[in-house]
Amino acid sequence: MGCNSSKSKLDITSTTDAVPTKNDLEDDFVEDVVCTVKDINENEMKTFELDEEKVLVVKQNGVITAMGTKCIHYGAPLVNGALGEGRVRCQWHGACFNLATGDIEDFPGLDSLPCYKVTIEDNGNVKVRARKIDLQTNKRMKPMVKKLASVNERYVIIGGGPSGAVTVETLRQEGFSGEVVMVCKENHLPYDRVKVSKQMDFEISKAEFRDDKFYKDNDIEVLKGVAAEAVDTKTNTISLSNGKTLQYDKLYIATGCNPRKPDVPGKELKNVCVLKDYDDSAYAYPQLNKDLEVVVIGSSFIGMEAANFCVDKVKSVTVIGRGAVPFRTIWGQRIGAAILALFEKKGVKYIPNNVIKKINDNGEGFVSSVELSDGQILKCDILFCGIGSTYFTDFLKGSGLNMQPDGTIETNEYLQTNIPNVYAGGDIAYAPVWSYNNRKVAIGHYPLAQYHGRMAALNMVGKTTPIKTVPYFWTMLFGKGFRYAGHGSFDDIIYAGDVENLKFMAFFLKDDEVVSTTSCGMDPYVSLFAEKLAQGKKLYRNDLKDDPMAWTKMM
């Protein structure tokens, strides 16, 4: 669903969505002047009122466009986002939308934005025409084809996470009319998995991306509660946990990670919990009460998010960290210390430079306490583990797929494995990273998994497209939003703002190149950095020398 274009005094864009057909009622549309051409400058975004709703108006390269105002993921106001070349990137979580069409180009999210018809009148007035329902919903679902009896191909997706969810929709959006089957290990439809550690009390029905009717209406077969147990790439078959065998013509594998528990005595006791799936949070959350003593092992994202969620609901929360401060390996000592101060202020106890040596039984099969490497024994009613993951790829051993020693699957820039009709993406993909000079690495980022799903689908249907994205991650800790974009080891950090008061941006450098950035309280600068990398540009030490933020004024 793209935009048409015509010319007046300025170039204009209009969307086919907003052009009425004989079946449309004029009452379904609204059209009015929202501003003048003088009200918006080059490379500027502004919101204006239309029919008691809002539209986002953008001027770039002399072209004025109008589209939905809020990111379809969590509703961030895009007027405060990062304006890139031909698209706007959400300042909260990095989703990108094409200015001319409203189509989603990078993730998270599923739907696209509505794009409205713009007319520039002779007097310079900017008139916008929009469908009323688009103004109200602020989102647009791209049209999908249905299965045709004449098409005998079957594409199978193993994995019902965010990557698989995007893949099946994109296949239908891009014209594939054969069979589409998604194999979901969980008994749930694909859902917003980041809530598992960030918001344990979420309702699965509200977190699911789509409902059963959506998949049925679009001829997408979903096998819930079924796992793949083996893949034979010579016969193009998948052995399933329900005893059946599934034939495929093309296959996409996105099975994700398997959280680890500490390899110590007692790890199989009840209430030794990981936080990967809805069932994990659904088990843990009802137990939280003011008499409970919680221990968290691991001081990176999952562990610290669990501590953040639990601390005001239980008697105590203690985090056991290998390092002196949390997040030290990814963000360094100074940022880690500032985050630790925030957690301690909120009542979380942190024990540094320690690991768990033993998990003790209360005599009824539940954890009662944990013994640390330095001999401390901590009372523990629930132990949350956030110490990393292995990969759900053991079932692929012997399949003929090239796998790394850690279990990740090697792909090319089209997410194609060494077996031409088999693709892999998401956490398990050892794939090129555009912003990392196309070096191959496996990255467990939620938006990247969704992006992989779209790109795999494009390549599966023959629309050959290399992956070209910038890893983007976020976390929310006690109301403080942390953004992170880019990838790579670093040997120096340059700071802007006030790290200790958590209003800062940090630049991570390898030699003289900025490989990644993080920020807190300084949106949309991480998104601006991500857009810079997405355009094939780099940021260097000299660019930060006099004013670390000067580069943002030249975007």
Side-chain angles (χ1 to χ4, degrees):
M1 292 281 226
C3 290
N4 300 322
S5 63
S6 58
K7 289 181 179 275
S8 181
K9 287 188 175 181
L10 289 174
D11 286 343
I12 63 170
T13 41
S14 62
T15 175
T16 53
D17 285 66
V19 178
T21 67
K22 63 182 180 180
N23 295 319
D24 289 318
L25 297 174
E26 285 300 312
D27 287 348
D28 292 338
F29 289 81
V30 60
E31 185 174 26
D32 206 349
V33 172
V34 298
C35 65
T36 72
V37 294
K38 294 180 180 180
D39 291 329
I40 186 164
N41 298 317
E42 178 67 17
N43 280 325
E44 186 177 27
M45 301 185 291
K46 284 186 175 181
T47 55
F48 296 97
E49 189 170 302
L50 177 64
D51 194 41
E52 298 183 349
E53 302 289 347
K54 299 287 186 181
V55 295
L56 180 68
V57 178
V58 186
K59 184 178 180 183
Q60 190 174 77
N61 298 321
V63 176
I64 294 179
T65 53
M67 61 198 303
T69 61
K70 297 179 181 179
C71 179
I72 52 83
H73 180 229
Y74 279 4
L78 291 174
V79 69
N80 298 323
L83 183 59
E85 186 61 38
R87 66 184 188 178
V88 58
R89 182 184 287 267
C90 174
Q91 69 275 23
W92 287 359
H93 307 128
C96 296
F97 303 92
N98 187 286
L99 296 180
T101 65
D103 287 352
I104 188 168
E105 294 186 344
D106 210 337
F107 298 81
L110 284 177
D111 294 318
S112 295
L113 289 174
C115 185
Y116 308 125
K117 180 181 177 181
V118 174
T119 303
I120 310 299
E121 298 183 325
D122 291 340
N123 61 2
N125 284 341
V126 177
K127 183 179 285 187
V128 174
R129 178 184 176 86
R131 186 175 279 119
K132 290 181 179 180
I133 189 64
D134 289 342
L135 287 171
Q136 294 165 4
T137 62
N138 190 72
K139 64 181 180 180
R140 172 175 56 86
M141 188 180 296
K142 297 173 74 173
M144 303 187 192
V145 301
K146 291 184 176 293
K147 183 186 179 306
L148 296 177
S150 58
V151 180
N152 295 319
E153 286 185 294
R154 176 189 288 155
Y155 290 1
V156 176
I157 289 77
I158 302 178
S163 197
V166 172
T167 309
V168 296
E169 292 196 23
T170 305
L171 288 172
R172 288 295 189 228
Q173 291 166 0
E174 297 298 328
F176 178 68
S177 53
E179 287 187 63
V180 175
V181 182
M182 180 166 54
V183 179
C184 299
K185 185 177 181 180
E186 293 183 74
N187 279 306
H188 312 291
L189 295 172
Y191 59 91
D192 188 354
R193 197 177 295 275
V194 300
K195 291 182 181 293
V196 172
S197 58
K198 292 178 171 68
Q199 187 183 334
M200 294 182 208
D201 57 345
F202 71 97
E203 296 179 40
I204 187 64
S205 60
K206 294 181 179 178
E208 288 176 335
F209 298 139
R210 310 294 193 196
D211 57 18
D212 285 301
K213 183 177 184 299
F214 169 86
Y215 291 107
K216 183 177 180 181
D217 289 347
N218 290 287
D219 294 333
I220 298 168
E221 184 178 359
V222 181
L223 303 179
K224 289 190 285 188
V226 177
E229 295 189 333
V231 171
D232 188 329
T233 58
K234 293 180 179 178
T235 61
N236 289 349
T237 56
I238 306 164
S239 299
L240 301 176
S241 60
N242 61 6
K244 296 182 179 180
T245 298
L246 190 62
Q247 194 87 26
Y248 65 85
D249 292 284
K250 291 185 180 179
L251 173 64
Y252 178 61
I253 308 170
T255 42
C257 289
N258 183 23
R260 291 191 297 112
K261 293 182 179 181
D263 190 16
V264 298
K267 65 180 179 180
E268 299 305 326
L269 291 173
K270 294 178 182 178
N271 283 8
V272 177
C273 302
V274 296
L275 290 170
K276 169 64 164 59
D277 299 329
Y278 168 73
D279 290 347
D280 298 329
S281 58
Y283 171 81
Y285 174 69
Q287 299 187 57
L288 302 183
N289 63 71
K290 290 296 184 179
D291 296 322
L292 210 68
E293 297 188 54
V294 171
V295 175
V296 177
I297 178 71
S299 58
S300 193
F301 294 104
I302 298 297
M304 299 307 283
E305 288 169 356
N308 172 93
F309 180 81
C310 291
V311 69
D312 63 348
K313 302 173 181 66
V314 298
K315 181 178 180 180
S316 68
V317 173
T318 303
V319 176
I320 313 301
R322 281 184 175 272
V325 298
F327 302 107
R328 185 177 182 276
T329 56
I330 55 169
W331 287 340
Q333 175 73 25
R334 186 177 173 187
I335 295 173
I339 295 174
L340 176 56
L342 172 66
F343 271 72
E344 290 179 334
K345 182 179 178 180
K346 297 295 184 179
V348 176
K349 182 180 180 181
Y350 185 81
I351 299 180
N353 306 313
N354 244 301
V355 295
I356 287 179
K357 186 168 68 175
K358 183 181 178 184
I359 305 171
N360 296 316
D361 192 332
N362 71 346
E364 298 179 358
F366 287 83
V367 59
S368 62
S369 64
V370 294
E371 183 177 344
L372 306 187
S373 56
D374 66 359
Q376 291 187 69
I377 296 178
L378 306 177
K379 186 177 183 309
C380 176
D381 298 301
I382 288 187
L383 175 64
F384 288 110
C385 305
I387 55 173
S389 304
T390 56
Y391 297 96
F392 274 123
T393 55
D394 283 352
F395 73 100
L396 297 171
K397 292 178 179 178
S399 66
L401 293 171
N402 284 345
M403 299 172 66
Q404 297 296 300
D406 63 0
T408 54
I409 304 172
E410 185 169 2
T411 80
N412 62 17
E413 61 184 329
Y414 308 106
L415 294 171
Q416 191 175 38
T417 70
N418 61 301
I419 308 296
N421 66 334
V422 179
Y423 299 76
D427 298 354
I428 66 170
Y430 183 69
V433 176
W434 165 258
S435 65
Y436 194 43
N437 299 314
N438 266 336
R439 282 179 280 184
K440 292 184 179 181
V441 65
I443 296 177
H445 288 185
Y446 179 83
L448 185 61
Q450 288 195 308
Y451 177 82
H452 278 177
R454 172 162 175 75
M455 302 310 287
L458 288 174
N459 288 302
M460 290 169 77
V461 301
K463 297 183 178 181
T464 307
T465 313
I467 53 177
K468 183 182 174 182
T469 191
V470 180
Y472 199 108
F473 190 84
W474 73 92
T475 189
M476 182 69 73
L477 303 171
F478 295 112
K480 303 286 186 180
F482 295 82
R483 326 289 178 207
Y484 173 77
H487 183 79
S489 61
F490 60 91
D491 52 31
D492 194 14
I493 308 174
I494 294 176
Y495 304 95
D498 187 342
V499 175
E500 285 64 37
N501 285 306
L502 297 177
K503 189 175 179 61
F504 70 92
M505 185 166 188
F507 304 84
F508 302 92
L509 294 88
K510 181 66 175 177
D511 299 325
D512 289 328
E513 180 184 333
V514 179
V515 296
S516 61
T517 61
T518 192
S519 78
C520 181
M522 289 186 67
D523 296 337
Y525 296 126
V526 165
S527 288
L528 276 175
F529 174 76
E531 275 305 286
K532 190 176 185 72
L533 295 187
Q535 294 168 19
K537 301 174 183 177
K538 299 285 188 180
L539 196 61
Y540 296 96
R541 186 182 301 274
N542 280 342
D543 299 320
L544 311 177
K545 184 171 57 177
D546 298 323
D547 177 2
M549 305 306 295
W551 62 276
T552 65
K553 304 175 181 67
M554 298 181 283
M555 287 290 289

